[in-house]
């Protein structure tokens, strides 16, 4: 029994050794607090840079977006401007071509000559000049023939001689499948209709002091007419005047009276014609 306590005494130091290490044990007991504090601090430290980085990333993203938007805006503007630029170039090219073709049409119309049946071009020109030189003698007869003897159908047939020849010129120069859609042809039609206005009074005015009264159809309109187009229309009027004088002279020579022209106007395309140069 004495030995057993001794054994206990011997064990006590071994037990005291753990007790002697109570300091570290207490520190280990207090370790959760320190760990919790440290973990909170580390989490706070980790949260601070993350929260600080987030706005920076957002700011960088927004700045990148701004740079992209700034870089895209000129390119998008160039893309949006490209069609309008090409269209303007095409329109400019089309206008230049139209002006060139109109000038070529004017040259060919100026070379057209009214052909008197059975006469050469030179003889036909002499007949027209003779009528104009003796206009005081022929004026009343031409007026009676055009304004009184011919009805609206026959008046139109006289101008159709010019219209058919001019149409052939346009087809030769413009190479267009539909001549009716040409702006120049529509202008010519307006001139022809104006010359037939008031039962042919429009054409008769061209022999009087008010010879340019037909030009009011363009001055009163918003439609733009170029100088070349106006010159073409002026030459059309001159051709119609010559055509009327030749038809009048032919009727007078054939029947001895201007009234004798009526049967011949039924087929004016083969009786009267304009000589077309280089067609």
């Amino acid at each position: 029994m004495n030995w057993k306590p001794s054994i206990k005494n011997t064990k006590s130091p071994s037990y005291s050794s753990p007790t002697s290490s109570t300091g570290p044990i207490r520190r280990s007991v207090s370790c959760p607090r320190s760990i919790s504090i440290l973990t909170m601090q580390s989490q706070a430290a980790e949260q601070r840079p993350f929260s600080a980085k987030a706005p920076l990333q957002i700011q960088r993203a927004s700045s990148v977006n701004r740079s992209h938007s700034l870089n895209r805006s000129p390119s998008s503007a160039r893309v949006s401007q490209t069609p309008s630029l090409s269209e303007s170039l095409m329109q400019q090219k089309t206008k230049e071509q139209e002006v060139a073709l109109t000038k070529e049409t004017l040259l060919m119309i100026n070379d057209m000559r009214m052909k008197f049946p059975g006469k050469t071009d030179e003889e036909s020109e002499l007949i027209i000049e003779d009528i104009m030189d003796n206009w005081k003698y022929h004026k009343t007869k031409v007026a009676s023939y055009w304004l009184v003897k011919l009805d609206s159908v026959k008046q139109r047939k006289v101008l159709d001689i010019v219209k058919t020849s001019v149409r052939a010129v346009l087809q030769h120069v413009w190479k267009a499948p539909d001549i009716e859609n040409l702006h120049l042809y529509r202008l010519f039609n307006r001139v022809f209709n104006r010359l037939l206005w008031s039962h042919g009074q429009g054409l008769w005015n061209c022999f009087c002091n008010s010879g340019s009264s037909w030009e009011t159809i363009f001055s009163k309109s918003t439609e733009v007419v170029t100088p070349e187009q106006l010159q073409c229309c002026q030459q059309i009027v001159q051709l119609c005047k010559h055509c009327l004088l030749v038809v009048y002279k032919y009727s007078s020579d054939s029947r001895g009276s201007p009234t004798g022209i009526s049967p011949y106007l039924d087929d004016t395309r083969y009786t009267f014609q304009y000589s077309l140069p280089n067609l």
Side-chain angles (χ1 to χ4, degrees):
M1 293 176 66
N2 292 328
W3 181 71
K4 289 180 181 179
S6 62
I7 294 171
K8 294 178 180 179
N9 291 329
T10 56
K11 289 180 179 180
S12 61
S14 63
Y15 179 74
S16 63
S17 60
T19 57
S20 63
S21 61
T22 55
I25 291 173
R26 289 178 182 174
R27 284 193 300 271
S28 64
V29 171
S30 62
C31 183
R33 293 181 181 177
S34 61
I35 292 173
S36 63
I37 293 171
L38 290 174
T39 54
M40 291 175 64
Q41 292 177 353
S42 62
Q43 289 176 357
E46 290 177 356
Q47 289 177 356
R48 288 194 195 98
F50 178 77
S51 61
K53 288 179 181 179
L56 291 175
Q57 292 177 354
I58 294 172
Q59 292 177 358
R60 289 174 183 175
S62 62
S63 62
V64 170
N65 290 332
R66 289 195 202 97
S67 62
H68 282 302
S69 63
L70 291 174
N71 292 330
R72 287 177 184 174
S73 58
S75 61
S76 62
R78 286 194 296 269
V79 171
S80 62
Q81 291 176 359
T82 301
S84 61
L85 179 60
S86 62
E87 289 176 0
S88 62
L89 292 176
M90 288 296 294
Q91 291 176 357
Q92 182 178 359
K93 185 177 180 180
T94 303
K95 290 181 179 179
E96 292 176 355
Q97 292 176 350
E98 185 177 356
V99 171
L101 293 175
T102 302
K103 290 181 179 180
E104 186 177 354
T105 303
L106 178 60
L107 291 176
M108 297 199 69
I109 293 178
N110 288 334
D111 291 337
M112 289 175 58
R113 296 293 181 268
M114 183 64 192
K115 192 173 183 63
F116 193 95
K119 304 289 184 179
T120 63
D121 292 345
E122 291 77 10
E123 293 173 342
S124 300
E125 290 183 5
L126 290 176
I127 291 173
I128 296 174
E129 290 178 1
D130 181 71
I131 296 174
M132 296 305 299
D133 292 339
N134 299 282
W135 182 242
K136 291 181 180 181
Y137 170 78
H138 292 283
K139 180 177 180 181
T140 56
K141 295 182 179 181
V142 173
S144 176
Y145 169 71
W146 175 249
L147 298 174
V148 180
K149 302 300 180 182
L150 297 182
D151 57 14
S152 59
V153 175
K154 291 181 174 61
Q155 286 179 346
R156 186 174 296 274
K157 286 184 177 182
V158 172
L159 297 191
D160 282 344
I161 301 172
V162 181
K163 192 173 183 179
T164 302
S165 302
V166 171
R167 183 184 177 91
V169 171
L170 291 176
Q171 288 178 341
H172 176 76
V173 175
W174 293 77
K175 303 293 190 300
D178 297 328
I179 301 299
E180 292 78 5
N181 293 330
L182 292 179
H183 178 59
L184 188 60
Y185 184 79
R186 292 196 297 267
L187 294 179
F188 291 167
N189 277 336
R190 294 180 62 182
V191 173
F192 286 125
N193 293 332
R194 179 64 180 182
L195 297 180
L196 294 173
W197 165 76
S198 186
H199 192 71
Q201 189 66 40
L203 178 59
W204 181 246
N205 290 339
C206 299
F207 292 95
C208 305
N209 296 330
S210 57
S212 60
S213 60
W214 60 270
E215 296 183 10
T216 56
I217 61 176
F218 300 130
S219 62
K220 294 181 180 180
S221 175
T222 58
E223 187 176 12
V224 179
V225 180
T226 64
E228 293 81 9
Q229 292 172 345
L230 184 59
Q231 291 178 13
C232 287
C233 294
Q234 291 172 348
Q235 187 61 24
I236 292 294
V237 173
Q238 190 69 13
L239 294 176
C240 291
K241 291 173 60 177
H242 291 173
C243 183
L244 172 58
L245 296 180
V246 168
V247 173
Y248 154 77
K249 180 63 175 176
Y250 183 82
S251 67
S252 178
D253 293 347
S254 299
R255 299 289 181 174
S257 164
T259 57
I261 191 60
S262 299
Y264 298 97
L265 285 177
D266 294 334
D267 199 1
T268 55
R269 291 177 300 173
Y270 302 101
T271 305
F272 305 97
Q273 60 181 355
Y274 264 95
S275 59
L276 306 178
N278 301 326
L279 289 188

